[in-house]
Amino acid sequence: MALAIVFIFIVIASVLFHLFNPWRATEAASNWGSIDDTLFLTLLITGVFFVAITLFMALALIRFRHRKGLRAQYEPENKPLEWWLIGVTTVAIAGLLAPGLVVYNDFVRVPDNAYELEVVGQQWQWAFRLPGADGRLGTSSVEWISAANPLGLNPEDASGQDDVIVRGNEVRLPVGLPVKVLQRSNDVLHNFYIPQIRSKMDMVPGLVSYFWFTPMVTGSYEILCAEFCGLGHYNMRGRMIVEAPEAFEQWLGQQPTFAQTQEASAQRSGLDPEVERGRALAQQHGCVACHSLDGSKSLGPGWLGLYGSLETLADGSQVRVDEDYLKESILQPGARMVQGYAAVMVPYALADADLEALVALIRSLGPEATDAAQEQRVSDGQQLAETLGCLACHSLDGSPGVGPSWKGLYGATETLMDGREVQVDDAYVRESIVSPAAQTVKGYASVMPAYSLNDAQLQALGAFIAALADKGAP
Ligand code: CUA
C-alpha cells in the first residue's frame, strides 16, 4: 500500500515538474522549432506510457494486495489484450520515429543562399574554413594535408586561395544568415555538437557530412565533440560566436586567407637560396672538414658566430671578420692568419659569385643570425604544436591537461612512472615526441601517439618548449 502511494506521488510530482519547471529554452536557431517539437512529442508519448504504467502498477498493488483466501488466477493467453498492446505500441513507436524523418529532411535540405562554413575535427581540436570574397570554398583532399596546409586545401584551386582559415577553437557567424556546415575529420570519428542550436552530427573520416541552420540570436555558444574520440575527447571544445553582420565582416577581414598562410609558411621555411648554395659549396670544397658550423672545435676557426666578431691575428693585431676579410682568407689564407691556428689551408681560387655565397653562409651563422634563427625556430615550433594538436593535451599556461603542461617544463626535474627522475632537456623532449612511452612522467597515462618528425621539426618543437621554460606563453 505504501509503495502504491509512492508510485502515485512520483507520477504527480513528475507531471507537475514538467509543467512548472523554471527552465525554458529560447529559440537560438531556425531549426530549433521542429526539433524541439519532435522532442516534445517524444516526451509526450513516453510520458503517457510512464504515467499509465506507473499508475497501473499502483492500482495492481492496491487491488491485488495480499488478503486471506485470495488466490492468483493462471491465465496464459489473452488474445484481445495482446492485440491491444501490439496496436498501441506500434502507433506509439511510429509516433516516436516518423516525425524525425521530416525533421531530418529539413536539417539536411540546405537553402540555395546558404553561407558555407567548414568544420574540421582533429584529435582534439577544431579548425574552421569560411569562404573569402568569391563566396565559395575551394576543393580539399587529404592528399594535400601537410604542416603548412593542415586542412588539405587544393593549392591549385583558384577559388580556395581567398578561403579564410581559422586555426583555433573559436569561430564566428553572422546572425540571420542560413549556414551550411560542412564537416570533415582528419583522423577518427568526431561529432560537431552545439546543444543550444540543436545541431549535432557525426564527422566521419573520408566523408563530408553537412547540415544547415540559421543562427537567430547573437551570443556565444559552446561547441562540443559528442563522439568519443580518444583520451582528449572531453577537452575537445570550442565556441561559436554569433554576431551582427558588420562585426562578423570585420572579424573575417582580420583572419588570414589560405594564400596568406601559404605565403607565410613559405617564408618561414624559406631557406635563403644564396645561403643554401654556400652550404653546398662548403660541402663540395671540403671547408666543413676544418670549419665547424655548430660551434664545435675544429682545425680552423668555427663559423658559428664568427661573422662580425673581432679576431686576434698571429701578429697580435686585431681584425673584424667582415666580407672583405673572409674573401681574402679564402683566396689567400696565409695573408692574415687568426692566432692559434696552423697555416694549413690551401688557397681556393673561387669565382666571385661563389665567394659571395660562402660569405652569405658564414654571415647566416653569425651572432645576430643565430638569435634570429632561434626566434624562427621557436615560432616554427609554436606553429607545429598547433598543427599537430599537441596543445590539445599540453597547456601553455600551466593548467592541467592530459599531458604535462609545457609552461616551466623545460629544465625541470620530473619523476617518471618507475620512480626514476629525469631532467627535461633536449634529448628527453625529443625522445618523448618520437617514442612517448619510453619515459612517461608519473601521474600521466601513456596515451600519446608517437610522432615521426624530421630533425628540423624536433628542433623547432624543442626550441618552443625551451622558450616556455620560465616565462609562459610567448
Ligand atoms: Cu572529438 Cu570526441
Side-chain angles (χ1 to χ4, degrees):
M1 193 63 169
L3 200 56
I5 292 167
V6 170
F7 282 170
I8 292 167
F9 177 75
I10 288 174
V11 166
I12 293 170
S14 304
V15 172
L16 288 179
F17 175 81
H18 282 289
L19 290 178
F20 297 106
N21 84 63
W23 303 296
R24 289 279 176 259
T26 25
E27 183 163 356
S30 58
N31 53 10
W32 183 88
S34 60
I35 291 178
D36 273 22
D37 288 348
T38 316
L39 287 176
F40 180 70
L41 188 64
T42 306
L43 179 71
L44 202 68
I45 293 171
T46 53
V48 165
F49 273 80
F50 168 74
V51 169
I53 291 171
T54 314
L55 287 182
F56 172 76
M57 287 196 299
L59 186 76
L61 278 170
I62 295 165
R63 181 122 153 57
F64 304 110
R65 66 184 184 279
H66 177 70
R67 269 174 297 189
K68 253 202 158 68
L70 192 77
R71 294 204 57 174
Q73 284 167 32
Y74 179 57
E75 194 182 332
E77 299 276 355
N78 187 330
K79 275 270 155 68
L81 185 61
E82 278 163 21
W83 279 115
W84 265 106
L85 286 176
I86 289 169
V88 171
T89 44
T90 303
V91 170
I93 287 172
L96 287 177
L97 300 184
L101 297 174
V102 179
V103 172
Y104 185 78
N105 184 48
D106 286 345
F107 198 48
V108 295
R109 184 160 300 185
V110 184
D112 292 336
N113 63 338
Y115 186 74
E116 288 186 328
L117 165 70
E118 182 183 65
V119 183
V120 182
Q122 181 187 337
Q123 282 173 326
W124 292 282
Q125 58 185 358
W126 303 100
F128 304 90
R129 178 160 66 118
L130 300 104
D134 64 359
R136 290 195 305 139
L137 290 174
T139 48
S140 62
S141 165
V142 284
E143 66 189 280
W144 292 302
I145 289 179
S146 68
N149 184 4
L151 302 190
L153 270 65
N154 181 351
E156 305 293 312
D157 190 342
S159 59
Q161 298 302 318
D162 64 348
D163 287 3
V164 171
I165 308 287
V166 181
R167 308 250 336 113
N169 289 330
E170 187 180 294
V171 70
R172 300 186 181 212
L173 284 175
V175 69
L177 192 66
V179 182
K180 178 181 188 180
V181 181
L182 296 144
Q183 312 190 124
R184 286 194 289 139
S185 166
N186 277 356
D187 38 38
V188 299
L189 281 176
H190 299 280
N191 184 304
F192 185 69
Y193 179 33
I194 308 178
Q196 285 153 297
I197 60 160
R198 311 291 193 265
S199 296
K200 186 183 202 183
M201 189 178 271
D202 266 6
M203 316 173 82
V204 185
L207 289 181
V208 179
S209 51
Y210 64 88
F211 65 88
W212 77 280
F213 69 97
T214 305
M216 313 280 272
V217 178
T218 58
S220 171
Y221 302 88
E222 186 166 29
I223 297 169
L224 300 166
C225 177
E227 181 68 57
F228 184 65
C229 56
L231 203 96
H233 160 70
Y234 75 93
N235 208 21
M236 191 167 169
R237 295 169 156 207
R239 282 229 153 249
M240 178 187 76
I241 292 172
V242 176
E243 57 189 6
E246 309 79 58
F248 168 74
E249 289 299 335
Q250 200 188 0
W251 169 82
L252 193 67
Q254 290 163 356
Q255 306 306 310
T257 64
F258 176 61
Q260 283 166 349
T261 62
Q262 292 314 93
E263 225 169 84
S265 73
Q267 274 171 7
R268 221 188 269 273
S269 64
L271 303 163
D272 185 337
E274 182 78 345
V275 170
E276 291 316 299
R277 214 167 66 78
R279 200 184 303 277
L281 283 169
Q283 292 285 348
Q284 189 188 323
H285 291 294
C287 314
V288 290
C290 297
H291 300 281
S292 76
L293 304 187
D294 58 1
S296 60
K297 233 177 118 55
S298 50
L299 201 56
W303 285 353
L304 185 73
L306 180 68
Y307 194 90
S309 68
L310 210 55
E311 295 287 329
T312 307
L313 299 181
D315 63 5
S317 65
Q318 290 201 310
V319 67
R320 176 78 60 190
V321 178
D322 57 9
E323 195 173 330
D324 290 339
Y325 176 70
L326 287 173
K327 284 186 181 174
E328 183 195 79
S329 300
I330 298 168
L331 297 168
Q332 304 164 262
R336 287 188 279 172
M337 291 286 306
V338 173
Q339 204 172 56
Y341 291 97
V344 291
M345 179 170 157
V346 294
Y348 287 83
L350 298 181
D352 212 44
D354 289 355
L355 286 175
E356 298 277 347
L358 279 171
V359 169
L361 169 67
I362 297 169
R363 188 189 292 126
S364 80
L365 297 166
E368 278 167 41
T370 44
D371 281 0
Q374 183 61 16
E375 242 168 67
Q376 190 62 66
R377 265 197 291 277
V378 171
S379 90
D380 286 353
Q382 178 162 20
Q383 192 203 19
L384 209 53
E386 287 165 5
T387 310
L388 296 173
C390 313
L391 305 185
C393 297
H394 299 284
S395 79
L396 300 182
D397 58 1
S399 59
V402 176
S405 173
W406 285 354
K407 186 187 176 186
L409 181 66
Y410 195 90
T413 305
E414 298 282 337
T415 308
L416 301 179
M417 276 168 157
D418 58 11
R420 277 183 305 125
E421 294 206 323
V422 67
Q423 170 108 29
V424 180
D425 56 9
D426 272 321
Y428 179 69
V429 167
R430 272 169 184 256
E431 184 196 60
S432 301
I433 297 169
V434 179
S435 49
Q439 301 193 70
T440 307
V441 173
K442 195 174 169 168
Y444 294 96
S446 277
V447 291
M448 176 169 156
Y451 288 86
S452 43
L453 304 180
N454 65 34
D455 199 61
Q457 291 173 317
L458 287 170
Q459 218 174 48
L461 274 175
F464 179 53
I465 294 170
L468 294 161
D470 37 25
K471 56 186 198 297

